[in-house]
Amino acid sequence: MMHRDDKDWNGLFSIVVDYDKESPSPENIFIGIAKLIESFKLIDKQLIGCVDSDTETETLLDDIEKGSIKLWLRNTLKQIDDKDIEDLNYKRIAGKFLVKAKAYILKKCNDVNEIQDVEIVEDIETGLSEIAKESGINQLGCYTKPPREDLLNGLNKLGEAFNEFGEKNKIIFIGDDNEKVVLNTKFRLPLATLEEFCAGDVIENPSEIILKVRKPDFIGDTQWEFLHGREPIKAKISDEEWIKSYFGGAEIITPGDSLRVKMITTSIYNNNQDLIRSRHVITKVIAVVKAERVMQEKLLN
């Protein structure tokens, strides 16, 4: 077994899981580790893409130690010819940059359980730029900030990984120069918050349309599924009076029926005017439009 002090720290980092040995769901620990590695790979992809869009990263399993679950992993680059970068020592610089950047992001996630202020996002972006300068990764002047939506998607995936570990399991990230960060497993970044931070323009369009019911909501807290022509639409019905009638049995929905509704469609765009996501909310159900039964009656007869 290779000791930590014998290791080459070029792009090397470690995940240590000090797990609860009485956990009723031990499989979640391994699911959490897998999701955590996937979130790191996503973050690495965005960070290295800010230097060179043609360069890809790999995360390799370097070693596993007994006791607490301890995985040594290594960042390395694909599609880079060592002969072309011998003078710049680019692989070593890039590996150290990715490890330091991940450690920085994880420390920022320790400050809050949920990012609710855009200034925190801006601090993370600025901090990553400073790390890029200090590491020398942008010595050719080619580092730019990662797209905010992509960066925050990585943080969203971090939160999903943390959710698997539970509160009794301690997770430690060991980075460059043996820097240790105890991870805040309470951290979450919901997709709705992500949209808010990435939005450039938010446009609301009210409309009155007829939607064919594809899948009703039988629980009361989920979205209905509809078809508008051939376009699938998911929408929540906020018309509480109609919902009470529906669950009370006064409104009957049968296969093929449609709803005539007033609906607000919110389109969210990023700063490049690319559509991020659309949301649909039905504010008023005007009527249930019954399906044409003529063909069904002919088939039955």
Side-chain angles (χ1 to χ4, degrees):
M1 176 70 68
M2 184 183 290
H3 296 291
R4 182 189 64 205
D5 295 339
D6 299 328
K7 290 180 179 293
D8 175 10
W9 282 89
N10 177 24
L12 191 69
F13 64 96
S14 179
I15 301 170
V16 182
V17 182
D18 188 4
Y19 57 91
D20 176 16
K21 295 178 175 60
E22 297 182 356
S23 172
S25 302
E27 69 278 6
N28 287 353
I29 294 172
F30 297 97
I31 294 172
I33 291 173
K35 288 187 175 183
L36 192 57
I37 294 173
E38 284 298 319
S39 68
F40 287 163
K41 290 172 68 174
L42 179 60
I43 291 171
D44 288 340
K45 179 180 178 181
Q46 306 311 324
L47 292 174
I48 205 66
C50 295
V51 180
D52 184 351
S53 60
D54 293 328
T55 300
E56 297 180 19
T57 64
E58 286 185 316
T59 302
L60 306 178
L61 180 61
D62 194 79
D63 198 0
I64 299 177
E65 296 183 14
K66 296 180 180 179
S68 299
I69 301 174
K70 188 172 187 178
L71 290 83
W72 288 96
L73 302 143
R74 185 181 296 276
N75 284 131
T76 187
L77 305 183
K78 297 194 291 185
Q79 301 181 4
I80 292 290
D81 189 338
D82 289 339
K83 293 180 181 179
D84 295 336
I85 58 173
E86 186 174 350
D87 293 337
L88 294 177
N89 200 11
Y90 185 62
K91 281 189 175 181
R92 181 177 294 275
I93 292 172
K96 291 176 71 68
F97 163 65
L98 291 174
V99 174
K100 282 185 171 293
K102 283 194 289 290
Y104 173 78
I105 290 171
L106 292 170
K107 284 188 285 188
K108 296 300 289 186
C109 292
N110 281 353
D111 294 340
V112 291
N113 291 339
E114 182 178 333
I115 298 177
Q116 297 180 334
D117 194 331
V118 72
E119 278 75 17
I120 296 177
V121 180
E122 292 170 348
D123 284 346
I124 293 176
E125 293 170 333
T126 301
L128 291 174
S129 295
E130 291 299 320
I131 293 171
K133 291 178 183 178
E134 293 170 2
S135 69
I137 193 72
N138 66 337
Q139 57 187 295
L140 300 180
C142 52
Y143 180 83
T144 57
K145 292 181 181 180
R148 180 171 291 180
E149 182 184 4
D150 295 336
L151 176 62
L152 295 184
N153 265 316
L155 297 187
N156 170 260
K157 296 300 181 184
L158 272 179
E160 290 181 0
F162 293 158
N163 188 54
E164 300 291 344
F165 289 113
E167 296 183 1
K168 293 185 178 181
N169 298 302
K170 184 179 180 182
I171 320 299
I172 303 171
F173 178 91
I174 302 178
D176 191 55
D177 297 328
N178 202 27
E179 179 184 16
K180 295 182 181 180
V181 182
V182 178
L183 307 189
N184 174 22
T185 56
K186 294 181 179 180
F187 174 81
R188 302 288 186 274
L189 182 63
L191 286 177
T193 305
L194 186 154
E195 291 176 357
E196 178 184 337
F197 291 145
C198 296
D201 290 309
V202 179
I203 300 175
E204 292 187 349
N205 290 308
S207 60
E208 182 175 322
I209 60 175
I210 297 176
L211 299 171
K212 186 175 290 292
V213 178
R214 187 176 184 182
K215 185 179 179 182
D217 169 21
F218 295 109
I219 299 174
D221 58 357
T222 59
Q223 296 186 94
W224 289 55
E225 295 183 15
F226 301 95
L227 285 176
H228 187 226
R230 294 185 178 181
E231 179 188 2
I233 288 177
K234 290 185 177 181
K236 187 161 183 77
I237 300 178
S238 64
D239 185 344
E240 294 184 2
E241 183 177 346
W242 187 88
I243 287 293
K244 288 180 181 179
S245 297
Y246 167 65
F247 280 104
E251 300 287 353
I252 306 297
I253 306 294
T254 55
D257 289 350
S258 301
L259 297 183
R260 188 182 188 96
V261 302
K262 290 183 178 181
M263 184 173 75
I264 294 178
T265 298
T266 303
S267 299
I268 303 170
Y269 300 84
N270 62 19
N271 291 321
N272 291 324
Q273 290 75 53
D274 298 317
L275 180 65
I276 300 174
R277 196 166 284 105
S278 293
R279 291 198 301 259
H280 307 281
V281 177
I282 294 171
T283 58
K284 177 69 175 178
V285 178
I286 300 171
V288 176
V289 181
K290 305 305 292 183
E292 185 63 51
R293 305 298 181 195
V294 176
M295 186 60 66
Q296 295 180 15
E297 291 174 358
K298 286 182 179 179
L299 291 175
L300 290 174
N301 294 331

